[in-house]
Amino acid sequence: MAPQSWYLIVSALLFGLGIVGFVTRRNSLVMFMSVELMLNAANLVFVAAARDHVPARGSACALFVIAVAASEVAVGLALVLALFRLKKSVDSDAVRELRA
Amino acid sequence: MSTVGALLLGLPLAAATLIGILHRRLSTRTAGTLAFAMAATCFGLAVAAFTHLRGLPEDARHVAATFWSFLELGRGDAALTLDVGVWLDPLSVTWALFITGVGSLIFLYSISYMEHEAGGARYFACLCLFLFSMLTLVLGKNLFLTFLGWEGVGLCSYLLIGFEYGKETAAQAGRKAFLVNRIGDVGFLLGMFWTWKLFGTLEHGELTPKLAAGLAAGIALPPLLALCYFVGACGKSAQLPLFVWLPDAMAGPTPVSALIHAATMVTAGIYLLCRLSSLFVAADWALDVVAFTGAATALFAGLIALRQRDIKRVLAYSTVSQLGYMFLACGLGAFASSAFHVVTHAFFKALLFLGSGAVIHALHGEQDLWKMGGLKHHLPKTAFAMRIGAFALAGIAPFAGFFSKDEILGVAFARAYAGDPACWVLWGAGVLTAALTAFYSARMITLCFDGSSRLDAHSHPHEAPAPMAIPLNVLAVLSLVGGIGLGFEALHWLPLHHWLAPTLAPLDLPPLPGALLWGLMTLAFLIAVLFWRIGAKWYSGDCEPARAAELTFPRFAGALAGRFFVDEIYGALIVRPLRFLAALALQFDVRVVDGAARGLGQFAALVGTGVRIVQNGTVQRYAFWMVAGAIALLWLALG
């Protein structure tokens, strides 16, 4: 069985990928996927911890995250859709109205 | 009687409110008729009050009525209760009689005079408000109400002088009257506070007994207290050095000049002096100040009146001069003589102003005496009435002014005769002023009505319509009989004096022997006639003697025509420094106060400019900062 540190390293890599993707990409759908990547990086830590320490609590947290992620997808995709209707584009640079 | 009192104050207020609210809808004629009906009713009420008081025994001739309590402060001895109510006594009713009587004649006159002016209803609303204020001043049962009325007439005078507010001169004259009157009001106010502190009352009915009790108990009355009131009276009654507003007040419509600046409002100062006569008599040297100020004002204004071109200005300065006589009489302790002159002056000065109004009306606004002349052929009735008024002003027997003025001069002479050398100066000034008065009255009449016409060729003067002629005729009759009817000292016929006696401080002066009285009267009469003849001669024809005199004393003549440059001196000494101070204050406001407020705003904006760099609206940038923040927090937590 692989040691827990491997899972943590993979999780950290996934999280880093998510951050880099979110900060660098301009396509809001890709940014959205990056967010999912970060969420699932966290999930990986939870299930890894569940296997070695407290199974029920870790799994429950992972399930929570999946549920929250699902609802977040619903809201987020609706936002992207609204953005597209407004700007005919899903590029995040198209929305800069809040610039001071 | 309390109903009469309430109506005397309530009717003018109601009329003012009604006309004021509806002034855009009412025609001048409707508003004027309403106002005149109100004023005439008030006169009837004043007559009713007069007959009622006449029916009472002499020492019980006063009626007090309280309507409601205006103010209650404190408890026990220090309690201050100010009631709204009226105080009817011979003094207040005398004033009320001529205010409403002469007032209603002027209201009647105004209907026709103001017919073609814009805003006639507004004019009548102000006039009613003025009548209300004046009656409050006179009939109010304590000094506080008198003060309210005092302020009210100040306000109305501002409104009416500046009636044609589109004209810069009128607006300025209104402001000037208001501001100069404020100086006097400060004196009145201080006097009231001080009186309250010393005697614990402001009621007209209580002041004299409390004063007598206090004097008996050994309280020394500070002369400065009396002088406080005197300053107030100086402002309202246009005495040196506060007389400057009155001549400028002629910027208002002519009936206003007649009502406010000749017949009623300016007599408020005399009313105050008479009302507080016992206080003034007890206040040591205060009366001397009053007498000398009065004599100086009479002479000073009489001199200025000699060379004014504007017919209304001549009359304005003559008013100031006659008010000086009244102050002189008060200062000599002869309050009844002063009141006598107030009454006769109200008759003849209203007549002169209304007459000059008829002339100005006929000439379509021309006020320059040098552009009149020969008007007796065009306006025979007006000329006749004006001549009577001028005779009364000049003090020619048997017209009204002769008796009252002669009495004042008689008192001055009697004081000097009784051994007060300073009174020779006062008497001399009074006689000199009488000569000047006769001279400028004759000059005015001659320039206006006699000689050949200097009118514009296309001018066709016409006699005034009936509503203007009736008041002139009534006032002419009053100017003829008003003097001899109210008092003739040499014949011991003094009904007005006896009527007023219970309310005024008595004159402590032995009467002059009869022969001396007759002699003084003859002297005054001769002086008046002589100087009238001189004045008429100088200014008839091509005015050759007058021109010669001007050439002989060019600087003096220039000073007279320039009104002794009082306005210029005030301008340099007071107005310009004040303007400078105002400009300084404005700079302080703009730079420091506004600067502080604007600086705060600019500081906030500056901070905002600094902070807004991070708010560029790009989601990625926000996310970057979030990550950076998270890393920094992590660093802190771990390190």
Side-chain angles (χ1 to χ4, degrees), chain B residues 80-95:
Chain B
L80 170 61
T81 315
L82 292 175
D83 292 332
V84 175
V86 292
W87 173 257
L88 300 172
D89 69 356
L91 184 64
S92 60
V93 169
T94 307
W95 249 261

Side-chain angles (χ1 to χ4, degrees), chain A residues 19 22-23 25-26 31 92-93 95-96 98-100, chain B residues 612-613 615-624 627:
Chain A
I19 286 181
F22 187 79
V23 173
R25 304 302 296 267
R26 293 288 178 267
M31 288 165 72
S92 72
D93 276 355
V95 236
R96 305 188 62 158
L98 277 179
R99 188 173 53 177
Chain B
R612 68 194 268 192
I613 294 171
Q615 296 278 337
N616 66 347
T618 324
V619 185
Q620 265 82 19
R621 189 73 69 86
Y622 298 165
F624 170 75
V627 171

Side-chain angles (χ1 to χ4, degrees), chain B residues 21 41 56 59 165 185 293 298 306 381 388-389 482 496 531 634:
Chain B
I21 290 173
T41 316
L56 297 171
D59 51 354
Y165 52 81
D185 295 343
T293 309
L306 292 180
K381 289 177 193 156
I388 290 179
L496 184 70
F531 278 88
L634 209 64

Side-chain angles (χ1 to χ4, degrees), chain A residues 4 7 40-55 58-63 66:
Chain A
Q4 196 182 16
Y7 293 99
N40 284 303
N43 261 350
L44 192 58
V45 177
F46 276 125
V47 285
R51 199 194 59 174
D52 294 349
H53 304 292
V54 272
S59 311
C61 275
L63 275 173
I66 290 168

Side-chain angles (χ1 to χ4, degrees), chain B residues 116-352:
Chain B
H116 305 296
E117 304 273 334
R122 178 166 61 89
Y123 168 86
F124 278 105
C126 293
L127 226 51
C128 291
L129 191 65
F130 169 76
L131 196 66
F132 166 71
S133 306
M134 193 68 199
L135 286 172
T136 311
L137 191 161
V138 169
L139 297 173
K141 75 190 285 278
N142 47 41
L143 278 172
F144 171 72
L145 282 184
T146 299
F147 183 71
L148 282 191
W150 190 274
E151 293 297 310
V153 292
L155 169 70
C156 294
S157 140
Y158 166 77
L159 291 174
L160 285 165
I161 295 169
F163 177 71
E164 294 164 42
Y165 52 81
K167 266 196 325 200
E168 183 58 27
T169 48
Q172 250 171 13
R175 273 203 298 277
K176 187 171 179 181
F178 198 73
L179 288 176
V180 174
N181 266 298
R182 289 282 80 61
I183 301 173
D185 295 343
V186 172
F188 193 156
L189 209 55
L190 288 178
M192 273 205 305
F193 293 149
W194 205 344
T195 309
W196 165 253
K197 191 159 179 279
L198 282 180
F199 303 111
T201 182
L202 295 176
E203 301 293 314
H204 289 327
E206 293 173 12
L207 202 55
T208 308
K210 285 217 177 175
L211 180 69
L215 288 177
I219 293 179
L221 190 72
L224 272 180
L225 168 57
L227 283 191
C228 284
Y229 288 114
F230 170 67
V231 169
C234 272
K236 201 60 82 197
S237 289
Q239 296 297 290
L240 280 175
L242 300 179
F243 71 97
V244 284
W245 67 271
L246 186 62
D248 283 23
M250 300 306 144
T254 308
V256 169
S257 310
L259 179 64
I260 300 193
H261 308 115
T264 62
M265 174 175 141
V266 290
T267 63
I270 320 288
Y271 172 78
L272 189 68
L273 293 184
C274 288
R275 179 53 82 193
L276 300 170
S277 56
S278 50
L279 189 139
F280 271 89
V281 168
D284 202 18
W285 46 265
L287 272 185
D288 298 337
V289 177
V290 177
F292 277 96
T293 309
T297 309
L299 192 57
F300 193 72
L303 280 172
I304 296 178
L306 292 180
R307 285 213 57 210
Q308 298 306 308
R309 294 179 68 108
D310 186 330
I311 184 167
K312 282 172 80 178
R313 245 177 217 285
V314 176
L315 290 173
Y317 279 106
S318 84
T319 302
V320 177
S321 177
Q322 297 304 306
L323 288 166
Y325 269 120
M326 298 167 203
F327 269 62
L328 171 62
C330 288
L332 293 166
F335 293 96
S337 310
S338 181
F340 184 20
H341 200 49
V342 166
V343 175
T344 56
H345 178 256
F347 296 154
F348 66 71
K349 193 48 68 67
L351 169 61
L352 284 171

Side-chain angles (χ1 to χ4, degrees), chain B residues 477-504:
Chain B
V477 171
L478 286 172
S479 299
L480 186 58
V481 302
I484 202 162
L486 291 173
F488 192 176
E489 201 184 4
L491 293 180
H492 306 291
W493 160 251
L494 295 166
L496 184 70
H497 296 57
H498 290 310
W499 162 248
L500 288 173
T503 52
L504 297 175

